[in-house]
Amino acid sequence: MEQAVKPPRYVLLDTVRGVTVVNMILYHFLYDWYVVLGHAPGWPWLTGVRIWERLICGTFILLAGICLHFDRHPVRRGGMLFGWGCVITLVTMLVMPGQAVHFGILSFLGAAIALTGALRGVLGRIPAWAGLAGSLVLFVLLRRISAGLITIGPLVLAQMPAGLYQWYAGALLGFPPAGFVSSDYFPLLPWLFLLWCGWFGWRLAAPRLTAGKLLQRHIPAFTAIGRKSLLLYLLHQPVCMALAFGLNTLV
């Protein structure tokens, strides 16, 4: 009986994920120090900090789209990640309600991975170049959909119907109701289209990338971190918080 061929592991992707995890941990420690402990509550809104935070999250999302090509059970894995996202929501609501996470990055990744896994057959029939271009355009157009707007940069093209923005569950899609607050918010719209940029982009670039040795280059320490990214994500925030509070007592 023939055995299923295990897809190759491109360790450069693990290394990039590991570098991103280290940046995420540093960002969250500084967030706890400046915002949670009140040393500089406006820190997250500094331009450089906002760019740094979006680069971290954007890299995770693009990598998730790429790695869907190697995932045998994306719907199951997506459901597991979404479940962990719900756990984070419950814990933050109990421990620090003022900084509670509703539909954060982990919930988004779970929902987006499961949805993309279910649609892989349909998406696979779209030419890679068209899927990448369409996903990029939709991501740009829907960047402010949570505010009810379809835009290109500062230009408002359309306003969404107010009736879409009335239910808590709508926040997962990108239609948060009035008064919705989350310290980490990544709805399906527009971020699903960034994940699809990674998915279609890999289809477009894979023939050239996999022909060489670039994807086998890596930094072992970061590669090891990248392979434990979910565990580190779940554990790092309590550690960052404890360290920030500990240091706060010394200054």
Side-chain angles (χ1 to χ4, degrees):
M1 187 175 73
E2 294 185 3
Q3 293 184 344
V5 178
K6 187 176 181 180
R9 184 151 196 138
Y10 301 115
V11 288
L12 178 61
L13 299 178
D14 291 319
T15 293
V16 174
R17 188 184 297 108
V19 171
T20 310
V21 167
V22 171
N23 273 273
M24 174 194 70
I25 292 172
L26 178 59
Y27 174 87
H28 281 154
F29 169 75
L30 293 174
Y31 184 94
D32 292 339
W33 180 262
Y34 286 121
V35 180
V36 177
L37 293 177
H39 292 289
W43 178 79
W45 305 108
L46 298 174
T47 300
V49 175
R50 285 182 61 79
I51 293 173
W52 182 31
E53 186 262 349
R54 291 298 162 173
L55 283 174
I56 294 169
C57 296
T59 302
F60 276 131
I61 292 169
L62 287 169
L63 283 171
I66 291 170
C67 292
L68 266 165
H69 288 281
F70 321 123
D71 196 333
R72 296 179 180 179
H73 306 286
V75 176
R76 185 169 67 189
R77 187 167 71 92
M80 179 267 292
L81 290 174
F82 189 82
W84 278 116
C86 292
V87 170
I88 289 174
T89 296
L90 291 173
V91 170
T92 54
M93 287 176 67
L94 292 172
V95 176
M96 46 180 190
Q99 297 291 330
V101 174
H102 298 272
F103 303 120
I105 186 69
L106 203 57
S107 296
F108 160 75
L109 287 174
I113 288 170
L115 179 60
T116 306
L119 295 175
R120 275 199 297 194
V122 175
L123 295 173
R125 292 195 287 270
I126 301 173
W129 66 268
L132 177 58
S135 296
L136 184 58
V137 168
L138 287 169
F139 177 69
V140 171
L141 288 174
L142 300 177
R143 285 288 286 115
R144 297 180 62 194
I145 196 169
S146 295
L149 304 174
I150 296 176
T151 62
I152 296 180
L155 179 63
V156 176
L157 301 180
Q159 190 162 356
M160 298 294 290
L164 294 174
Y165 298 80
Q166 295 183 7
W167 299 279
Y168 173 81
L172 174 62
L173 296 175
F175 311 132
F180 176 85
V181 177
S182 176
S183 63
D184 180 39
Y185 179 47
F186 282 85
L188 283 170
L189 301 178
W191 298 101
L192 176 64
F193 293 110
L194 184 62
L195 185 138
W196 285 1
C197 283
W199 196 83
F200 285 111
W202 176 259
R203 279 181 52 197
L204 199 62
R208 291 185 179 180
L209 290 176
T210 56
K213 296 183 179 180
L214 175 64
L215 293 171
Q216 297 304 327
R217 297 179 180 177
H218 68 118
I219 303 172
F222 287 114
T223 300
I225 292 171
R227 291 179 176 177
K228 300 294 183 181
S229 57
L230 177 59
L231 178 63
L232 291 171
Y233 183 89
L234 295 172
L235 295 179
H236 83 281
Q237 189 59 287
V239 174
C240 287
M241 186 75 73
L243 182 59
F245 273 93
L247 289 175
N248 195 54
T249 64
L250 301 176
V251 297

